[in-house]
Amino acid sequence: MHKPPAILLMGPTASGKTAAALWLAERFPVELVSVDSALVYRDMDIGTAKPDRATLARFPHALIDLITPEESYSAARFVTDARTEMAAIIARGRIPLLVGGTMLYFKALLQGLSELPQADAATRRAIDAEALERGWPALHAELARHDPATAARLAPTDAQRIQRALEVLRLTGQPLSALQNAGNASPPDFDFLALGLLPSDRAVLHARIAERFDAMLAAGLEDEVTMLRGKYPLSLDLPSMRCVGYRQVWEAQDGLAPRSEMRDRGIYATRQLAKRQITWLSNTLECERFDCLANELYDQIATYLQHTRLQKRNPAEAG
């Protein structure tokens, strides 16, 4: 039996994924599923570039607003949630369109999850102590010597992910990248059509990132962070507050970094995120690539989907 189709629309931040997904939703029998580790949080709207209420009313997105910011979400939970939503979409005679920029979630969906050790408090304390003494860039350099593939995806100040990669290395003696590549994937339940939006000119993407961050600040990002801190028991160690933008605003509010540098630090962090996302798409995830800056982007995507006979594979038309 043929597997039902599912479209994956992947790209770095500010590449226009949401706009492209909405355009496709008007022309193809699809329903949208978010693949974004920040959009799962309720009340985090401005800094995550969450679609507004009118857009969500017209184009519902599954897997948005699932948890509150003091909670955690995982790739394993995403795979379970996504498969549930995709099966429901297929049952309605529609096609799942998964859109977002959390590349680890896409990888987990496509390739399965590797067997990684549980967090070890003693190991993490030791790594944190070393970071306090030597700095996270020094630990990033150490990681690069033993696991260059993982280090290449991480910024030298990405404390959470550097800590986890070193923890896995010290607990297992094996690089995180090797364990992840081994995986334990079962054959996918869907016939995936993976589309990657990549910029032909990084400078243009960087300009978009700056414009978008300025728009977030103008829309009240600082007030949103203040509201979140008042409503929920949050700390900078939580995944929600490590999201780009939120962390930089928090640090400026508490005097941990100069307020005058908040904008530049937020833009820089977003550019680093985009760089990691592009690395994932270029080196790890197989996809049909499109220039996200092309004037005819939407037509190119539509033509590709039509050539894959997507509409004929619509489960509503099967049999």
Side-chain angles (χ1 to χ4, degrees), residues 197-223:
L197 305 186
L198 291 163
S200 55
D201 187 339
R202 295 274 186 104
V204 176
L205 183 69
H206 292 167
R208 283 188 179 183
I209 287 171
E211 291 171 3
R212 191 168 79 158
F213 194 75
D214 284 338
M216 289 176 178
L217 291 174
L221 177 57
E222 292 186 73
D223 291 337

PDB file of all heavy atoms in Angstrom, residues 197-223:
ATOM      1  N   LEU A 197      13.852  25.991   2.416  1.00  0.00           N
ATOM      2  CA  LEU A 197      13.984  27.379   1.972  1.00  0.00           C
ATOM      3  C   LEU A 197      15.327  27.906   2.450  1.00  0.00           C
ATOM      4  O   LEU A 197      15.556  28.066   3.647  1.00  0.00           O
ATOM      5  CB  LEU A 197      12.845  28.241   2.544  1.00  0.00           C
ATOM      6  CG  LEU A 197      11.422  27.774   2.270  1.00  0.00           C
ATOM      7  CD1 LEU A 197      10.418  28.819   2.768  1.00  0.00           C
ATOM      8  CD2 LEU A 197      11.205  27.480   0.790  1.00  0.00           C
ATOM      9  N   LEU A 198      16.212  28.169   1.503  1.00  0.00           N
ATOM     10  CA  LEU A 198      17.565  28.622   1.827  1.00  0.00           C
ATOM     11  C   LEU A 198      17.863  29.922   1.085  1.00  0.00           C
ATOM     12  O   LEU A 198      17.465  30.080  -0.078  1.00  0.00           O
ATOM     13  CB  LEU A 198      18.592  27.552   1.457  1.00  0.00           C
ATOM     14  CG  LEU A 198      18.552  26.286   2.332  1.00  0.00           C
ATOM     15  CD1 LEU A 198      19.288  25.141   1.670  1.00  0.00           C
ATOM     16  CD2 LEU A 198      19.147  26.589   3.700  1.00  0.00           C
ATOM     17  N   PRO A 199      18.572  30.850   1.712  1.00  0.00           N
ATOM     18  CA  PRO A 199      18.828  32.143   1.065  1.00  0.00           C
ATOM     19  C   PRO A 199      20.016  32.083   0.100  1.00  0.00           C
ATOM     20  O   PRO A 199      21.052  31.511   0.409  1.00  0.00           O
ATOM     21  CB  PRO A 199      19.141  33.062   2.255  1.00  0.00           C
ATOM     22  CG  PRO A 199      19.782  32.144   3.250  1.00  0.00           C
ATOM     23  CD  PRO A 199      19.085  30.820   3.100  1.00  0.00           C
ATOM     24  N   SER A 200      19.847  32.694  -1.050  1.00  0.00           N
ATOM     25  CA  SER A 200      20.958  32.809  -1.994  1.00  0.00           C
ATOM     26  C   SER A 200      21.935  33.902  -1.565  1.00  0.00           C
ATOM     27  O   SER A 200      23.081  33.934  -2.025  1.00  0.00           O
ATOM     28  CB  SER A 200      20.426  33.111  -3.400  1.00  0.00           C
ATOM     29  OG  SER A 200      19.601  34.276  -3.379  1.00  0.00           O
ATOM     30  N   ASP A 201      21.490  34.784  -0.695  1.00  0.00           N
ATOM     31  CA  ASP A 201      22.317  35.896  -0.214  1.00  0.00           C
ATOM     32  C   ASP A 201      22.105  36.027   1.295  1.00  0.00           C
ATOM     33  O   ASP A 201      21.038  36.467   1.741  1.00  0.00           O
ATOM     34  CB  ASP A 201      21.930  37.183  -0.941  1.00  0.00           C
ATOM     35  CG  ASP A 201      22.863  38.348  -0.628  1.00  0.00           C
ATOM     36  OD1 ASP A 201      23.557  38.298   0.417  1.00  0.00           O
ATOM     37  OD2 ASP A 201      22.889  39.319  -1.414  1.00  0.00           O
ATOM     38  N   ARG A 202      23.114  35.644   2.077  1.00  0.00           N
ATOM     39  CA  ARG A 202      22.971  35.700   3.533  1.00  0.00           C
ATOM     40  C   ARG A 202      22.740  37.128   4.020  1.00  0.00           C
ATOM     41  O   ARG A 202      22.063  37.349   5.031  1.00  0.00           O
ATOM     42  CB  ARG A 202      24.221  35.135   4.211  1.00  0.00           C
ATOM     43  CG  ARG A 202      24.475  33.660   3.969  1.00  0.00           C
ATOM     44  CD  ARG A 202      23.736  32.783   4.943  1.00  0.00           C
ATOM     45  NE  ARG A 202      24.127  31.385   4.751  1.00  0.00           N
ATOM     46  CZ  ARG A 202      24.949  30.722   5.544  1.00  0.00           C
ATOM     47  NH1 ARG A 202      25.447  31.315   6.613  1.00  0.00           N
ATOM     48  NH2 ARG A 202      25.247  29.465   5.304  1.00  0.00           N
ATOM     49  N   ALA A 203      23.316  38.102   3.322  1.00  0.00           N
ATOM     50  CA  ALA A 203      23.180  39.492   3.751  1.00  0.00           C
ATOM     51  C   ALA A 203      21.720  39.932   3.737  1.00  0.00           C
ATOM     52  O   ALA A 203      21.273  40.680   4.604  1.00  0.00           O
ATOM     53  CB  ALA A 203      24.021  40.405   2.870  1.00  0.00           C
ATOM     54  N   VAL A 204      20.974  39.472   2.738  1.00  0.00           N
ATOM     55  CA  VAL A 204      19.556  39.827   2.663  1.00  0.00           C
ATOM     56  C   VAL A 204      18.795  39.173   3.813  1.00  0.00           C
ATOM     57  O   VAL A 204      17.940  39.801   4.444  1.00  0.00           O
ATOM     58  CB  VAL A 204      18.966  39.406   1.305  1.00  0.00           C
ATOM     59  CG1 VAL A 204      17.468  39.693   1.265  1.00  0.00           C
ATOM     60  CG2 VAL A 204      19.674  40.135   0.166  1.00  0.00           C
ATOM     61  N   LEU A 205      19.123  37.917   4.115  1.00  0.00           N
ATOM     62  CA  LEU A 205      18.481  37.255   5.253  1.00  0.00           C
ATOM     63  C   LEU A 205      18.809  37.990   6.546  1.00  0.00           C
ATOM     64  O   LEU A 205      17.936  38.187   7.396  1.00  0.00           O
ATOM     65  CB  LEU A 205      18.936  35.804   5.341  1.00  0.00           C
ATOM     66  CG  LEU A 205      18.263  34.989   6.451  1.00  0.00           C
ATOM     67  CD1 LEU A 205      16.789  34.760   6.136  1.00  0.00           C
ATOM     68  CD2 LEU A 205      18.980  33.659   6.673  1.00  0.00           C
ATOM     69  N   HIS A 206      20.057  38.426   6.700  1.00  0.00           N
ATOM     70  CA  HIS A 206      20.437  39.162   7.904  1.00  0.00           C
ATOM     71  C   HIS A 206      19.658  40.471   8.026  1.00  0.00           C
ATOM     72  O   HIS A 206      19.270  40.877   9.134  1.00  0.00           O
ATOM     73  CB  HIS A 206      21.938  39.430   7.893  1.00  0.00           C
ATOM     74  CG  HIS A 206      22.772  38.192   8.051  1.00  0.00           C
ATOM     75  ND1 HIS A 206      24.126  38.171   7.818  1.00  0.00           N
ATOM     76  CD2 HIS A 206      22.434  36.927   8.412  1.00  0.00           C
ATOM     77  CE1 HIS A 206      24.586  36.951   8.031  1.00  0.00           C
ATOM     78  NE2 HIS A 206      23.583  36.182   8.385  1.00  0.00           N
ATOM     79  N   ALA A 207      19.430  41.128   6.915  1.00  0.00           N
ATOM     80  CA  ALA A 207      18.635  42.362   6.942  1.00  0.00           C
ATOM     81  C   ALA A 207      17.200  42.069   7.364  1.00  0.00           C
ATOM     82  O   ALA A 207      16.600  42.823   8.134  1.00  0.00           O
ATOM     83  CB  ALA A 207      18.664  43.032   5.575  1.00  0.00           C
ATOM     84  N   ARG A 208      16.655  40.971   6.872  1.00  0.00           N
ATOM     85  CA  ARG A 208      15.302  40.570   7.278  1.00  0.00           C
ATOM     86  C   ARG A 208      15.253  40.295   8.781  1.00  0.00           C
ATOM     87  O   ARG A 208      14.286  40.649   9.457  1.00  0.00           O
ATOM     88  CB  ARG A 208      14.885  39.296   6.534  1.00  0.00           C
ATOM     89  CG  ARG A 208      14.471  39.484   5.088  1.00  0.00           C
ATOM     90  CD  ARG A 208      13.914  38.163   4.589  1.00  0.00           C
ATOM     91  NE  ARG A 208      13.458  38.196   3.211  1.00  0.00           N
ATOM     92  CZ  ARG A 208      12.886  37.173   2.584  1.00  0.00           C
ATOM     93  NH1 ARG A 208      12.700  36.031   3.237  1.00  0.00           N
ATOM     94  NH2 ARG A 208      12.498  37.264   1.332  1.00  0.00           N
ATOM     95  N   ILE A 209      16.288  39.637   9.289  1.00  0.00           N
ATOM     96  CA  ILE A 209      16.331  39.316  10.714  1.00  0.00           C
ATOM     97  C   ILE A 209      16.338  40.597  11.540  1.00  0.00           C
ATOM     98  O   ILE A 209      15.615  40.710  12.545  1.00  0.00           O
ATOM     99  CB  ILE A 209      17.566  38.443  11.021  1.00  0.00           C
ATOM    100  CG1 ILE A 209      17.353  37.026  10.488  1.00  0.00           C
ATOM    101  CG2 ILE A 209      17.867  38.419  12.525  1.00  0.00           C
ATOM    102  CD1 ILE A 209      18.589  36.145  10.541  1.00  0.00           C
ATOM    103  N   ALA A 210      17.140  41.571  11.137  1.00  0.00           N
ATOM    104  CA  ALA A 210      17.194  42.841  11.864  1.00  0.00           C
ATOM    105  C   ALA A 210      15.845  43.554  11.823  1.00  0.00           C
ATOM    106  O   ALA A 210      15.373  44.068  12.844  1.00  0.00           O
ATOM    107  CB  ALA A 210      18.293  43.724  11.282  1.00  0.00           C
ATOM    108  N   GLU A 211      15.227  43.583  10.667  1.00  0.00           N
ATOM    109  CA  GLU A 211      13.917  44.235  10.534  1.00  0.00           C
ATOM    110  C   GLU A 211      12.874  43.547  11.410  1.00  0.00           C
ATOM    111  O   GLU A 211      12.050  44.204  12.059  1.00  0.00           O
ATOM    112  CB  GLU A 211      13.480  44.213   9.069  1.00  0.00           C
ATOM    113  CG  GLU A 211      14.303  45.117   8.161  1.00  0.00           C
ATOM    114  CD  GLU A 211      13.982  44.915   6.698  1.00  0.00           C
ATOM    115  OE1 GLU A 211      13.064  44.105   6.409  1.00  0.00           O
ATOM    116  OE2 GLU A 211      14.641  45.531   5.841  1.00  0.00           O
ATOM    117  N   ARG A 212      12.918  42.233  11.444  1.00  0.00           N
ATOM    118  CA  ARG A 212      11.926  41.505  12.229  1.00  0.00           C
ATOM    119  C   ARG A 212      12.140  41.719  13.727  1.00  0.00           C
ATOM    120  O   ARG A 212      11.177  41.883  14.475  1.00  0.00           O
ATOM    121  CB  ARG A 212      11.965  40.010  11.902  1.00  0.00           C
ATOM    122  CG  ARG A 212      10.783  39.275  12.487  1.00  0.00           C
ATOM    123  CD  ARG A 212      10.621  37.883  11.950  1.00  0.00           C
ATOM    124  NE  ARG A 212      11.529  36.946  12.571  1.00  0.00           N
ATOM    125  CZ  ARG A 212      11.329  35.625  12.593  1.00  0.00           C
ATOM    126  NH1 ARG A 212      10.270  35.116  11.998  1.00  0.00           N
ATOM    127  NH2 ARG A 212      12.176  34.824  13.177  1.00  0.00           N
ATOM    128  N   PHE A 213      13.398  41.747  14.165  1.00  0.00           N
ATOM    129  CA  PHE A 213      13.644  41.963  15.586  1.00  0.00           C
ATOM    130  C   PHE A 213      13.239  43.379  15.985  1.00  0.00           C
ATOM    131  O   PHE A 213      12.669  43.592  17.063  1.00  0.00           O
ATOM    132  CB  PHE A 213      15.108  41.711  15.931  1.00  0.00           C
ATOM    133  CG  PHE A 213      15.347  41.588  17.408  1.00  0.00           C
ATOM    134  CD1 PHE A 213      14.987  40.440  18.086  1.00  0.00           C
ATOM    135  CD2 PHE A 213      15.917  42.625  18.118  1.00  0.00           C
ATOM    136  CE1 PHE A 213      15.183  40.323  19.450  1.00  0.00           C
ATOM    137  CE2 PHE A 213      16.120  42.528  19.483  1.00  0.00           C
ATOM    138  CZ  PHE A 213      15.747  41.358  20.155  1.00  0.00           C
ATOM    139  N   ASP A 214      13.504  44.346  15.117  1.00  0.00           N
ATOM    140  CA  ASP A 214      13.054  45.718  15.396  1.00  0.00           C
ATOM    141  C   ASP A 214      11.532  45.772  15.501  1.00  0.00           C
ATOM    142  O   ASP A 214      10.979  46.481  16.356  1.00  0.00           O
ATOM    143  CB  ASP A 214      13.541  46.663  14.298  1.00  0.00           C
ATOM    144  CG  ASP A 214      15.018  46.990  14.426  1.00  0.00           C
ATOM    145  OD1 ASP A 214      15.569  46.845  15.537  1.00  0.00           O
ATOM    146  OD2 ASP A 214      15.623  47.392  13.409  1.00  0.00           O
ATOM    147  N   ALA A 215      10.852  45.039  14.630  1.00  0.00           N
ATOM    148  CA  ALA A 215       9.387  45.014  14.673  1.00  0.00           C
ATOM    149  C   ALA A 215       8.893  44.389  15.977  1.00  0.00           C
ATOM    150  O   ALA A 215       7.878  44.829  16.546  1.00  0.00           O
ATOM    151  CB  ALA A 215       8.839  44.253  13.473  1.00  0.00           C
ATOM    152  N   MET A 216       9.582  43.367  16.454  1.00  0.00           N
ATOM    153  CA  MET A 216       9.206  42.744  17.728  1.00  0.00           C
ATOM    154  C   MET A 216       9.365  43.732  18.884  1.00  0.00           C
ATOM    155  O   MET A 216       8.497  43.813  19.760  1.00  0.00           O
ATOM    156  CB  MET A 216      10.068  41.500  17.971  1.00  0.00           C
ATOM    157  CG  MET A 216       9.761  40.330  17.068  1.00  0.00           C
ATOM    158  SD  MET A 216      10.913  38.969  17.360  1.00  0.00           S
ATOM    159  CE  MET A 216      10.281  37.738  16.205  1.00  0.00           C
ATOM    160  N   LEU A 217      10.462  44.464  18.885  1.00  0.00           N
ATOM    161  CA  LEU A 217      10.663  45.459  19.937  1.00  0.00           C
ATOM    162  C   LEU A 217       9.579  46.530  19.883  1.00  0.00           C
ATOM    163  O   LEU A 217       9.029  46.938  20.911  1.00  0.00           O
ATOM    164  CB  LEU A 217      12.048  46.087  19.802  1.00  0.00           C
ATOM    165  CG  LEU A 217      13.247  45.179  20.117  1.00  0.00           C
ATOM    166  CD1 LEU A 217      14.550  45.889  19.806  1.00  0.00           C
ATOM    167  CD2 LEU A 217      13.225  44.725  21.583  1.00  0.00           C
ATOM    168  N   ALA A 218       9.252  46.966  18.666  1.00  0.00           N
ATOM    169  CA  ALA A 218       8.215  47.991  18.515  1.00  0.00           C
ATOM    170  C   ALA A 218       6.847  47.472  18.932  1.00  0.00           C
ATOM    171  O   ALA A 218       5.993  48.237  19.412  1.00  0.00           O
ATOM    172  CB  ALA A 218       8.178  48.477  17.068  1.00  0.00           C
ATOM    173  N   ALA A 219       6.620  46.161  18.770  1.00  0.00           N
ATOM    174  CA  ALA A 219       5.326  45.564  19.106  1.00  0.00           C
ATOM    175  C   ALA A 219       5.185  45.296  20.609  1.00  0.00           C
ATOM    176  O   ALA A 219       4.097  44.915  21.058  1.00  0.00           O
ATOM    177  CB  ALA A 219       5.122  44.270  18.329  1.00  0.00           C
ATOM    178  N   GLY A 220       6.273  45.464  21.371  1.00  0.00           N
ATOM    179  CA  GLY A 220       6.173  45.303  22.813  1.00  0.00           C
ATOM    180  C   GLY A 220       6.839  44.067  23.382  1.00  0.00           C
ATOM    181  O   GLY A 220       6.368  43.515  24.382  1.00  0.00           O
ATOM    182  N   LEU A 221       7.944  43.622  22.787  1.00  0.00           N
ATOM    183  CA  LEU A 221       8.629  42.429  23.290  1.00  0.00           C
ATOM    184  C   LEU A 221       9.062  42.594  24.745  1.00  0.00           C
ATOM    185  O   LEU A 221       8.933  41.660  25.551  1.00  0.00           O
ATOM    186  CB  LEU A 221       9.841  42.101  22.408  1.00  0.00           C
ATOM    187  CG  LEU A 221      10.695  40.907  22.851  1.00  0.00           C
ATOM    188  CD1 LEU A 221       9.860  39.627  22.952  1.00  0.00           C
ATOM    189  CD2 LEU A 221      11.871  40.706  21.903  1.00  0.00           C
ATOM    190  N   GLU A 222       9.556  43.779  25.098  1.00  0.00           N
ATOM    191  CA  GLU A 222       9.988  43.996  26.481  1.00  0.00           C
ATOM    192  C   GLU A 222       8.802  43.858  27.441  1.00  0.00           C
ATOM    193  O   GLU A 222       8.928  43.253  28.519  1.00  0.00           O
ATOM    194  CB  GLU A 222      10.637  45.361  26.626  1.00  0.00           C
ATOM    195  CG  GLU A 222      11.969  45.495  25.898  1.00  0.00           C
ATOM    196  CD  GLU A 222      12.636  46.819  26.186  1.00  0.00           C
ATOM    197  OE1 GLU A 222      13.143  47.000  27.316  1.00  0.00           O
ATOM    198  OE2 GLU A 222      12.635  47.687  25.288  1.00  0.00           O
ATOM    199  N   ASP A 223       7.665  44.403  27.078  1.00  0.00           N
ATOM    200  CA  ASP A 223       6.480  44.271  27.917  1.00  0.00           C
ATOM    201  C   ASP A 223       6.033  42.817  28.015  1.00  0.00           C
ATOM    202  O   ASP A 223       5.541  42.369  29.068  1.00  0.00           O
ATOM    203  CB  ASP A 223       5.337  45.126  27.369  1.00  0.00           C
ATOM    204  CG  ASP A 223       5.598  46.619  27.517  1.00  0.00           C
ATOM    205  OD1 ASP A 223       6.409  46.991  28.390  1.00  0.00           O
ATOM    206  OD2 ASP A 223       4.989  47.398  26.761  1.00  0.00           O
TER     207      ASP A 223
END
